[in-house]
Structures are given as structure tokens and as C-alpha cells.
């Protein structure tokens, strides 16, 4: 029973965690997301180890399905908000890379000239 409780405990922790992540994404608090994502990943990794070892009863399976529906919906929304930000970051990085390449190629002017 302890392991089953741990499985359900993980799901019960992941759902509100994704809700906090979604709130951060909605309010564009991008810097706070990595810490929560690390917690999320840690719990998912834990589930990968413990869940295959246990069988949930009917009530637990129904609750797990509810939680997974919330988690999936939240994750989809988060992904939809984060991906455009990542695309902007990639574009900015490419622009900076081009600028640095031009500066290396043509220099910024030699102080001795």
C-alpha cells in the first residue's frame, strides 16, 4: 500500500505543480520555470521507477486519469507559451552570433590606427 500511496502522491504533487508552471508562463515569469520544471522532472523520473511495480485499484486508477487529464492540459498550454519564447531566444542568439562574427571579421576599429 505504501508504494501505491507514493504513486498517487506523485500524481497529486505533479498536477498543482503544472498549474503553478502555467501561471508563471501566463505571467511571463520565465526565470522561475526551470526550478519547477526540475521538480516536475524529478517526480516523473520517480514515477518511472515506482509505478510499474504497483497496481492501482479502481478508485486510484480513476483519480490518476483525472490528474493526468489536468497535467496534460496544463503541459499543452505551457508548451504553447514557452515555444514562441524559445523561438525568440534562438533568433536573438543567431543575431548576436552574426554580430560577433562580423566584429571578428571586420574588427571594431583598432585603437592604434
Amino acid at each position: 500500500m505504501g508504494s501505491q500511496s507514493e504513486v498517487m502522491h506523485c500524481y497529486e504533487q505533479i498536477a498543482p505543480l503544472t498549474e503553478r508552471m502555467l501561471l508563471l508562463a501566463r505571467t511571463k515569469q520565465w526565470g522561475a520555470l526551470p526550478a519547477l520544471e526540475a521538480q516536475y522532472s524529478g517526480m516523473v523520473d520517480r514515477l518511472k521507477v515506482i509505478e510499474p511495480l504497483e497496481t492501482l485499484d479502481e478508485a486510484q486508477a480513476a483519480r490518476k486519469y483525472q490528474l493526468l487529464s489536468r497535467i496534460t492540459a496544463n503541459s499543452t498550454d505551457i508548451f504553447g507559451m514557452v515555444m514562441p519564447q524559445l523561438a525568440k531566444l534562438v533568433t536573438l542568439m543567431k543575431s548576436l552570433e552574426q554580430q560577433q562574427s562580423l566584429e571578428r571579421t571586420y574588427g571594431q576599429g583598432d585603437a592604434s590606427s
Side-chain angles (χ1 to χ4, degrees), residues 36-90:
L36 293 181
E37 198 282 328
Q39 290 177 16
Y40 172 90
S41 293
M43 286 186 209
V44 169
D45 289 345
R46 180 69 183 141
L47 275 172
K48 287 177 185 176
V49 172
I50 63 174
E51 192 167 22
L53 305 175
E54 299 298 329
T55 302
L56 300 176
D57 64 31
E58 192 174 315
Q60 290 170 322
R63 178 66 180 150
K64 174 186 162 183
Y65 178 78
Q66 291 173 337
L67 292 168
L68 278 173
S69 293
R70 277 176 46 198
I71 291 165
T72 301
N74 292 338
S75 296
T76 299
D77 289 348
I78 292 165
F79 184 81
M81 287 181 241
V82 169
M83 291 312 292
Q85 293 302 312
L86 288 175
K88 286 180 186 177
L89 182 59
V90 167

